[in-house]
Amino acid sequence: MSVHPTWLTAFLDLPADVHGVGTAFWAEVTGWTPSAPRGAAGEFATLEPDAAEAVLKVQRTGAAEPAVHLDLHVADPDAAAQTAVRLGATVSADQGDYWVLASPAGLAFCLVAHAAGDRPAPRTWPGGRTSLVDQVSIDVAPSRYVEEFEFWAGLTGWTRRDPVPETEFARLTPDASFGLQLLVQRLDDEQPVASAHLDLSTDDRDAEVADHAAAGAEVLARHDEWTVLRDPAGLRYCVTDRSPRRAGVER
């Protein structure tokens, strides 16, 4: 039985004081509907696309800062956890039906047994613009960049675009049925642990960024092919020029 993921979900881990505003913001800019709260304390919710499997969920936490972690959906979490440890992960908790681990560079992720589904379609907005959350970028210190890429390549089994000295990006692309792909980004400076951020693709970046700003995001930096923003909960993310209608396209 393969231990490679059949689906990937990004979890927005939001402190209690910004959980509500963060959830409302991502519902507005994706066009996805928040589910009813679930969990022992109502701490979990899903942003549900129309007639598709979710790729984005939110969790209310007791942490001081917001973060993003990944859920990898696998057929056998126990076997996948053994593989992850062999590749360099550390175990944080065995919850019985799922595992909580950290990658070699310290990014939190979970191995769960949830089923996969259909890839969300891009949202079409007034005026005809389309956009979609379709990528997670893992941001890694220079000293851990290659090691972290090799870990995620081994754990996912996805198609590789390997690290090269000329660029700070390396990519892992699943087949077209997946809703999210992975980018591994080499940072300029060292940091204690890896972090992650969301990337949205769009066919009209200026209009997309304007709508995000109107919804409460702060524009931090503009680059040739992407814009960096911060949401009202404090999470950084990017809006990119990649096509939202094609799976696995490169930035």
Side-chain angles (χ1 to χ4, degrees):
M1 180 180 295
S2 174
V3 298
H4 296 322
T6 58
W7 195 254
L8 185 68
T9 303
F11 250 101
L12 308 183
D13 301 325
L14 305 179
D17 60 338
V18 294
H19 175 264
V21 68
T23 301
F25 172 82
W26 284 101
E28 180 173 352
V29 299
T30 60
W32 296 339
T33 304
S35 70
R38 62 185 183 277
E43 68 272 33
F44 300 112
T46 299
L47 295 181
E48 297 179 335
D50 296 335
E53 183 69 19
V55 298
L56 195 57
K57 299 181 180 181
V58 292
Q59 177 179 1
R60 186 179 67 250
T61 73
E65 299 294 333
V68 175
H69 82 261
L70 299 175
D71 272 13
L72 279 68
H73 301 211
V74 295
D76 185 339
D78 292 343
Q82 293 177 13
T83 298
V85 170
R86 177 175 56 79
L87 292 170
T90 56
V91 174
S92 300
D94 174 1
Q95 301 290 2
D97 57 347
Y98 70 96
W99 291 76
V100 183
L101 304 97
S103 72
L107 182 69
F109 69 98
C110 297
L111 295 168
V112 303
H114 302 161
D118 295 325
R119 183 177 188 263
R123 172 69 61 172
T124 300
W125 303 97
R129 176 183 94 255
T130 61
S131 64
L132 181 67
V133 177
D134 65 352
Q135 183 168 270
V136 175
S137 176
I138 300 172
D139 306 320
V140 190
S143 63
R144 310 299 296 273
Y145 177 55
V146 172
E147 175 190 23
E148 188 76 358
F149 176 82
E150 291 295 340
F151 170 78
W152 289 104
L155 191 59
T156 63
W158 293 352
T159 300
R160 305 164 54 120
R161 189 189 75 183
D162 287 12
V164 294
E166 299 81 32
T167 178
E168 70 270 31
F169 300 115
R171 183 178 301 282
L172 293 165
T173 305
D175 65 51
S177 66
F178 273 74
L180 294 173
Q181 61 181 335
L182 289 177
L183 189 73
V184 181
Q185 180 174 359
R186 184 184 68 236
L187 300 174
D188 292 333
D189 302 312
E190 294 296 318
Q191 64 178 23
V193 295
S195 58
H197 72 262
L198 300 180
D199 284 349
L200 291 86
S201 55
T202 183
D203 50 18
D204 188 339
R205 179 159 47 113
D206 288 343
E208 184 77 15
V209 168
D211 275 5
H212 284 231
E218 177 187 2
V219 177
L220 300 178
R222 297 182 186 272
H223 301 277
D224 289 344
E225 299 176 43
W226 68 92
T227 299
V228 183
L229 302 97
R230 181 163 48 218
D231 77 5
L235 284 173
R236 294 191 179 211
Y237 67 100
C238 294
V239 174
T240 81
D241 289 333
R242 290 178 300 106
S243 169
R245 295 195 175 277
R246 293 174 54 205
V249 296
E250 297 188 358
R251 175 148 66 188

